[in-house]
Amino acid sequence: MRTVVVHAPLDLRVETLAPAPGPDAGQVKVALAAGGICGSDLHYYQHGGFGTIRLKEPMILGHEVAGTVVEVGADVTRVKVGDHVAVNPSHPCGHCRYCIEGHSNQCLDVRFYGSAMRFPHVQGAFRDEIVITQEQAFPVKADVPLAEAAFAEPFSVALHAATRAGSVLGKKVLVTGCGPIGCLTIMAARQGGASEIVVTDVSAPALATATKVGADIALNVAEKAEALASYRPHKGYFDMTFECSGNPRALLGALDVTRPLGAIVLVGLGGEATLPMNSVVTKELKVCGAFRTGVEFGWAVDLISNRRVDMRPLLTASYPVEQAVEAFQFAADKSRSMKVQINFAGAE
Amino acid sequence: MRTVVVHAPLDLRVETLAPAPGPDAGQVKVALAAGGICGSDLHYYQHGGFGTIRLKEPMILGHEVAGTVVEVGADVTRVKVGDHVAVNPSHPCGHCRYCIEGHSNQCLDVRFYGSAMRFPHVQGAFRDEIVITQEQAFPVKADVPLAEAAFAEPFSVALHAATRAGSVLGKKVLVTGCGPIGCLTIMAARQGGASEIVVTDVSAPALATATKVGADIALNVAEKAEALASYRPHKGYFDMTFECSGNPRALLGALDVTRPLGAIVLVGLGGEATLPMNSVVTKELKVCGAFRTGVEFGWAVDLISNRRVDMRPLLTASYPVEQAVEAFQFAADKSRSMKVQINFAGAE
Amino acid sequence: MRTVVVHAPLDLRVETLAPAPGPDAGQVKVALAAGGICGSDLHYYQHGGFGTIRLKEPMILGHEVAGTVVEVGADVTRVKVGDHVAVNPSHPCGHCRYCIEGHSNQCLDVRFYGSAMRFPHVQGAFRDEIVITQEQAFPVKADVPLAEAAFAEPFSVALHAATRAGSVLGKKVLVTGCGPIGCLTIMAARQGGASEIVVTDVSAPALATATKVGADIALNVAEKAEALASYRPHKGYFDMTFECSGNPRALLGALDVTRPLGAIVLVGLGGEATLPMNSVVTKELKVCGAFRTGVEFGWAVDLISNRRVDMRPLLTASYPVEQAVEAFQFAADKSRSMKVQINFAGAE
Amino acid sequence: MRTVVVHAPLDLRVETLAPAPGPDAGQVKVALAAGGICGSDLHYYQHGGFGTIRLKEPMILGHEVAGTVVEVGADVTRVKVGDHVAVNPSHPCGHCRYCIEGHSNQCLDVRFYGSAMRFPHVQGAFRDEIVITQEQAFPVKADVPLAEAAFAEPFSVALHAATRAGSVLGKKVLVTGCGPIGCLTIMAARQGGASEIVVTDVSAPALATATKVGADIALNVAEKAEALASYRPHKGYFDMTFECSGNPRALLGALDVTRPLGAIVLVGLGGEATLPMNSVVTKELKVCGAFRTGVEFGWAVDLISNRRVDMRPLLTASYPVEQAVEAFQFAADKSRSMKVQINFAGAE
């Protein structure tokens, strides 16, 4: 079984490991077809981690994957051999207060594929085969390309963000930052019935993709810093802003153009921002975070499986697993790539 | 008619003006009994304004007032002569998008007593008599001291804050800052059924008052900077934090002790705070502002009128209107005063 | 000016009246192009009213209309001569508790076109010209057929219904009843991102239209009473049910197939239903009503104006105003008609 | 170990059984002190069950219990020997969709003490000793009588009901039915800051108790059927109604006096009610169910443990376990009893 293992910053290797045992009762074995490279995968590859989370041992990367069920253990009722599935990379503990309250994305003891937050690290899903619990397997229709099904996880993150500030239906929406999560958030807002979606970025290709996936107006704030100025009168225009750039200036600008009682949902991880407390108080803004996903994983799979969304404009390139290093190098070049995937043995 | 007029920073005068004409149809004349000095009154007195809002002409101060109806115009059904009333100091326009959507506290064209936001300024309510619309008059029971009724406005601000993050019932609550709004927020949280209320301040007398009005645990963060450290494990302890100090460090500290998916309600006006975006994102915190009040004005009056709350611990001192300057000087000394009131001709 | 006036049950006349004076300041005159016949119009025509609401004098019918601005009064900034507009038929009082709280659809003193709820009745909008306030005029893009713009009002009712139970995004939805409001609710749920929409009706043509406008599965409960049986296991399948038939049996059936903690939104007016209290209690269902519309009028106009929805499958027939009686007769034949419109002088 | 076992309708026996083995790891043994008789206990005693749920084998009754920890298994950190605890009688499965979504009270496979819903039945907690998981043990302060702690479960049901329609703070509340759950709901609404609480019942003693625990106005609808008539004008007075009688007429009456957009929470189990669909639609009422409890169990324990509520007015009588039959007979006489408890070996 080939795997994509990070050993240290810029030391990424394709290694052959023994396949995992199993499946045991309640488990299924999936031959992976496609895996998308996420921002966190890139951080491990480029920097060996982020913040206080650091690689302490080699770790298989990857958590945005889909494939075909090749073997099922006893008592498996949810899927059968041959089914195409998107794989939910998250194993919440089921026992902590957040799990009990229905917020498993805040689990105090979660196991998440390809994460160095725990030690030993939780090995990831960039591999030819993986054994998962049946609850992690979400079937997609046979005619849906598995490359699209592999978008289920990041799209579910965007859908989760879209729910954080109440219903999007009829709302005027600003999305700052048009990388993969920004574009998926645009798609989520469009699905949710936003009446108007304005987006900003500093990259012309990113803005072009954003327009393809549903933005009504795409503004290049590198070319025109004051691009949002016309949305400031009457205390602001947008009902909801989704901050997907991680850039503190984007948050600061959003405070001026989001209307009183509106929401600014922080999706992108970022550093320290300056927050003028008076703006938040007098406009009664709601600045809230969105992290990972929950029941929205199933929503994402349904929307992809029923072809209500089209992920193809986001897929810049696919590489066979042997070329994983080239895939990561290309993915790291944000000026050229949106989402880059790796193909595995189970590819259609 | 005696009035309390600010002419310039530290230039406060008790002046006799001609009484207002009226009441016209739908209006009532109120002989004021008591008026509380608010932080914004103090800002006009000490600094001539705040932020971009500056005195441009002499202005009567005051907006936390109660008195007795002495005359009613035609078509008045809501109150009668002799009724004790708390006066709602806000006149929303009724036509802007925020009024139409039920958020008159965000009115784009509000008239608010004793505010220099508009020009000519809206004259305030520190005067022997005032003519108001009947909708502004909220009756209180005859046996409720008007000094307590004059707390209706600031208490309603606290009640409004208490609604901003959903129901308080059963929640663990932190209040940072125990000035008048902080203490009233403690009372609002207690009314709303908080299961535990922890408070912080740097002033021992303020903390003592906070304990009198409902705080379970009062922590002096001047004496012990790490007083909240024990609330950090497991990603935080409090379901809701109400930031009433306007101090950016209080907000920063709240991010560590507010649990994932919890809320931090900003009530106190403050300057620029540093906001670590990652904390908000990964804990999915909700940082939201609370400003002025709405339907909660009626709630405040009902709770005071039915004696479900006791405002007396908050009233540090009362001065006759002739001694308004002394009243403001005392109110400005935060180490000694909580709420200071001025008495008028209509005093019981 | 030609008008469509109901005098008594089955006594509908096209009458020429003097045009309305005006427009005064803040008002605009609209030459109407298209007007849809609503269920309430039909009730006045067929029965002279409904429930306790009865015709007491001749009344112009109609409230689902769109046209072209032909004259503007002083101080009008919202629209200009030549603009195409959808007309909001509702004038809330602006002063009652519901208006103040942002729920003008519950106004205690509303004036609504073509309604006999007040006396003198509020005359309706089936006429060549009408003078409205500028706030009632909602511009649509010039290339949007006014026949589609005339769907703004009923579509906004459906959008309002879609907001009554929280966000529709990702939800499994049942719509019972596929008349005009049922079909518009299907479109609203689709806009809001429902992951699956199942619908029921007893009419094959209605079900066929429902499928055209977004239903995934259309079930004929006249042919198969137990058509929904497969959705009952595990305490129910649907997150939200929209009851648009007014049929008590549909509500009863919905209790079995709506999942615990799910919502049943009653949109269709109906008679007395039997409600097994234990079902509501043990499944913690939420049965809630939706009535008329509010801010959703603007949403409907935006969605129609931006062509995000296509109203054409719902428009069964259009008649010139001279043939208004034929139009009503055809509209009354539910087996053949979905939405029937009348064309006026301003027709494109 | 003495237990209270129902064998058939009216066949209740105090039987001595061998004590349960254990505690195993993670479990604790509790010597029970007090157990309240619930309506469902009475149904088993009087009728052998309710609805489709029927006794098929002898079953120990009881689920409202508190006692003292007498032994702890390995790995127990939550309580220690000697602690006073309220016992949560519910074991949700932790795996079904409702558990995962945080709604364990809707668990598809719950085990609940003293319930014949499953077969073999889940034996109840009216016994001298019980072995529970540590998660079921909720410590109360040593100075809180265990008889009051035994109210945790029914009070948590009332608190859960109080959360079903949003925040109670400042709201005008109607409670129909003043049995134990009605009275506890009054206490929950009072805790939550209701500004006014009006209650109805047909029993003078029940109304007297209701007044003791927080009702502002108590109306006897047996003496005056139209007692609520004055609350009908302007489409209704109450923001929230809690229907705790299970009487369909109470629900029908509530529709008239609950204001538009208000909520009617059904707490009491009842039969078939007549629901005029038009009332629900045009007033946009929200009729929703409340069933059992969730995180509110901890809230109830905290409020009781901190003496913020006083359960004593609700406790009509206590019987030693040997007189369990007399206790049930007295509890069945609703004209004389509110809550009746049984005392066990662990009684203080």
Side-chain angles (χ1 to χ4, degrees), chain B residues 5-7 15 55-60 121 123:
Chain B
V5 181
V6 63
H7 285 254
E15 297 180 338
L55 274 181
K56 294 178 188 160
E57 60 178 345
M59 182 174 75
I60 305 176
H121 301 338
Q123 298 296 318

Side-chain angles (χ1 to χ4, degrees), chain A residues 97 160 259 270 278 284 287, chain B residues 97 160 259 270 278 284 287:
Chain A
R97 69 177 292 187
H160 180 68
R259 56 164 281 188
N278 282 3
E284 297 191 295
V287 179
Chain B
R97 70 177 292 189
H160 179 68
R259 57 165 279 187
N278 282 4
E284 297 191 296
V287 179

Side-chain angles (χ1 to χ4, degrees), chain C residues 9-302:
Chain C
L10 300 181
D11 180 1
L12 187 77
R13 308 179 198 169
V14 177
E15 297 180 339
T16 299
L17 299 179
D24 293 337
Q27 293 184 324
V28 303
K29 181 182 283 186
V30 176
L32 295 180
I37 298 173
C38 170
S40 65
D41 295 318
L42 278 173
H43 268 283
Y44 287 118
Y45 167 62
Q46 294 181 297
H47 311 296
F50 38 88
T52 59
I53 300 167
R54 292 287 144 188
L55 273 181
K56 295 176 187 160
E57 61 177 343
M59 181 174 76
I60 305 176
L61 292 174
H63 58 268
E64 304 178 356
V65 297
T68 304
V69 175
V70 291
E71 193 179 345
V72 300
D75 306 327
V76 168
T77 56
R78 189 175 157 102
V79 290
K80 61 181 190 305
V81 171
D83 280 357
H84 285 191
V85 294
V87 175
N88 186 334
S90 181
H91 301 61
C93 77
H95 300 297
C96 72
R97 69 177 293 189
Y98 299 104
C99 284
I100 286 172
E101 295 180 9
H103 302 294
S104 62
N105 61 325
Q106 290 291 344
C107 174
L108 295 172
D109 196 26
V110 69
R111 300 176 60 84
F112 192 91
Y113 288 156
S115 164
M117 199 173 289
R118 302 167 68 106
F119 186 83
H121 301 338
V122 182
Q123 298 296 316
F126 283 170
R127 52 171 89 185
D128 284 320
E129 282 183 0
I130 194 164
V131 173
I132 62 177
T133 66
Q134 61 174 329
E135 287 78 14
Q136 292 179 267
F138 285 74
V140 294
K141 290 181 182 162
D143 59 347
V144 176
L146 285 166
E148 293 195 50
F151 278 90
E153 198 272 342
F155 186 42
S156 77
V157 171
L159 288 166
H160 179 68
T163 68
R164 284 289 290 150
S167 174
V168 178
L169 184 58
K171 301 295 170 59
K172 299 188 186 306
V173 167
L174 172 67
V175 177
T176 54
C178 298
I181 283 296
C183 284
L184 288 162
T185 299
I186 293 165
M187 294 168 77
R190 192 92 280 162
Q191 274 298 308
S195 73
E196 184 176 356
I197 302 177
V198 177
V199 306
T200 63
D201 203 300
V202 296
S203 151
L207 288 165
T209 303
T211 301
K212 275 186 205 153
V213 297
D216 293 306
I217 297 177
L219 301 171
N220 193 324
V221 287
E223 293 172 358
K224 188 180 173 190
E226 289 295 290
L228 287 170
S230 64
Y231 297 103
R232 280 188 204 141
H234 306 304
K235 301 193 191 176
Y237 181 82
F238 299 104
D239 299 296
M240 294 184 187
T241 294
F242 295 93
E243 202 307 285
C244 300
S245 73
N247 187 326
R249 280 173 304 172
L251 169 56
L252 200 58
L255 295 170
D256 287 335
V257 296
T258 306
R259 56 164 281 188
L261 295 157
I264 300 174
V265 181
L266 303 186
V267 191
L269 290 164
E272 297 199 335
T274 297
L275 187 78
M277 293 171 79
N278 283 3
S279 281
V280 176
V281 171
T282 57
K283 291 175 69 173
E284 297 191 295
L285 295 171
K286 185 164 65 173
V287 179
C288 57
F291 183 61
R292 292 191 178 162
T293 187
V295 294
E296 299 86 358
F297 195 90
W299 304 358
V301 171
D302 282 352

Side-chain angles (χ1 to χ4, degrees), chain D residues 31-176:
Chain D
L32 296 180
I37 298 173
C38 171
S40 65
D41 295 318
L42 278 174
H43 269 282
Y44 287 119
Y45 166 63
Q46 295 181 297
H47 311 297
F50 37 88
T52 57
I53 300 167
R54 293 287 145 188
L55 274 181
K56 295 178 188 159
E57 60 177 343
M59 181 174 75
I60 304 176
L61 291 175
H63 58 268
E64 304 179 356
V65 296
T68 304
V69 174
V70 290
E71 192 179 346
V72 301
D75 305 327
V76 168
T77 56
R78 190 176 158 103
V79 290
K80 61 183 187 306
V81 170
D83 280 357
H84 284 191
V85 293
V87 176
N88 187 334
S90 181
H91 302 60
C93 77
H95 300 297
C96 73
R97 70 177 292 189
Y98 299 104
C99 284
I100 287 172
E101 295 179 10
H103 301 294
S104 62
N105 61 325
Q106 290 292 342
C107 173
L108 295 172
D109 196 27
V110 69
R111 299 176 62 83
F112 192 92
Y113 287 157
S115 165
M117 197 174 290
R118 302 167 68 107
F119 186 84
H121 301 338
V122 182
Q123 298 296 318
F126 283 169
R127 54 171 88 184
D128 286 319
E129 283 182 359
I130 194 164
V131 173
I132 62 177
T133 66
Q134 63 173 328
E135 288 77 15
Q136 291 180 268
F138 285 73
V140 294
K141 290 180 184 163
D143 59 347
V144 176
L146 286 165
E148 293 195 50
F151 279 90
E153 198 272 342
F155 187 41
S156 77
V157 171
L159 288 167
H160 179 68
T163 68
R164 284 289 292 151
S167 175
V168 178
L169 185 58
K171 303 293 169 60
K172 299 188 187 306
V173 167
L174 172 67
V175 177
T176 54

Side-chain angles (χ1 to χ4, degrees), chain D residues 334-346:
Chain D
K334 298 286 178 68
S335 72
R336 292 195 298 154
S337 74
M338 181 63 70
K339 178 63 74 179
V340 175
Q341 288 187 348
I342 297 175
N343 295 326
F344 297 91

